[in-house]
Amino acid sequence: MKKIGLTGGIGSGKTTIAHMLEAMSYPVYYSDFQSKELCDHDEGIRSQLILLCGDKAYEDGQLNRPYLSECIFSNPELRLKVNEIIHPVVRKDFEDWTLKQTSPLIFNEAAILFETGAYQQFDAVVLVCAPTSHRIERVMLRDLSTKSSVEQRIQSQWTDEQKRTLTDLCIENDGSHPLLIQVEDILQRLLA
């Protein structure tokens, strides 16, 4: 079984690719979704985030995401500390999930595999790239966010150019390259 990272910046379309892979019967672990679930339900994460960010970090038993986002996107040091709390728990959850899989390829969809160094734990990493203007538009529509807030989130992540230096498996989600053909090509390369 090969463990494959599936990543790309916010709004790149990595979830679209993940859904395509699932439709082709490949298991996909959604790190960002699982991270949200674990932040809401894991007592270790909860207690550490409250210690780090204060009681406002949780409201009505749920992570106060707007408050936490406000705190970390303007403070890179705090963002790093929050990631150091959450990412090991998510990684362990992924490893537990992996043990239940039987497919020759399994995928871990995550936005910041390169930024956290987690990309090194995979047999290969597939990078989904898209022009910044496309990404901004997608996220504004999806999250009902302002352009400036999306730009701030994009700036907190590595650029596609930085990520490309660490993988040669790239999917261009720019509207002019057919996605299915690219996905099938990458699957053939991974299964070879």
Side-chain angles (χ1 to χ4, degrees):
M1 174 188 308
K2 289 184 182 175
K3 298 177 191 174
I4 312 301
L6 175 63
T7 193
I10 185 170
S12 62
K14 64 189 168 298
T15 303
T16 298
I17 301 302
H19 291 316
M20 291 173 75
L21 291 165
E22 281 186 311
M24 300 166 121
S25 299
Y26 291 101
V28 178
Y29 178 91
Y30 292 90
S31 289
D32 297 338
F33 174 80
Q34 284 304 121
S35 174
K36 289 175 184 171
E37 289 292 305
L38 290 165
C39 284
D40 285 341
H41 300 104
D42 184 278
E43 287 304 319
I45 290 175
R46 178 189 309 263
S47 62
Q48 290 181 71
L49 288 180
I50 289 172
L51 276 174
L52 186 63
C53 302
D55 290 334
K56 287 176 123 182
Y58 282 81
E59 268 184 356
D60 301 323
Q62 303 287 306
L63 181 64
N64 183 348
R65 288 178 177 78
Y67 172 77
L68 190 64
S69 292
E70 186 180 304
C71 292
I72 66 173
F73 280 111
S74 60
N75 185 336
E77 191 176 301
L78 184 61
R79 180 172 52 244
L80 182 63
K81 288 178 183 177
V82 168
N83 287 341
E84 287 171 352
I85 292 168
I86 297 170
H87 291 153
V89 179
V90 176
R91 252 191 310 279
K92 166 99 172 62
D93 191 63
F94 170 69
E95 291 304 323
D96 293 344
W97 175 86
T98 297
L99 296 173
K100 301 171 190 165
Q101 306 308 314
T102 58
S103 175
L105 299 175
I106 61 170
F107 292 84
N108 182 323
E109 186 256 10
I112 55 175
L113 286 182
F114 292 111
E115 292 88 337
T116 63
Y119 73 96
Q120 298 169 347
Q121 300 168 350
F122 294 95
D123 297 300
V125 176
V126 176
L127 173 63
V128 182
C129 297
T132 303
S133 59
H134 287 55
R135 294 171 58 195
I136 291 170
E137 187 177 310
R138 287 176 189 149
V139 177
M140 286 175 64
L141 286 171
R142 181 189 73 200
D143 298 348
L144 302 176
S145 300
T146 64
K147 183 177 180 183
S148 63
S149 71
V150 177
E151 288 171 337
Q152 186 179 23
R153 290 164 73 185
I154 287 173
Q155 289 168 4
S156 75
Q157 297 178 345
W158 285 15
T159 65
D160 286 348
E161 290 71 31
Q162 289 172 293
K163 295 173 188 178
R164 282 180 197 269
T165 64
L166 298 171
T167 183
D168 62 349
L169 299 172
C170 296
I171 293 174
E172 301 298 332
N173 189 10
D174 57 8
S176 61
H177 294 85
L179 293 178
L180 184 58
I181 291 170
Q182 293 180 79
V183 169
E184 288 174 339
D185 176 59
I186 285 176
L187 288 171
Q188 285 179 0
R189 292 167 66 184
L190 290 170
L191 290 166

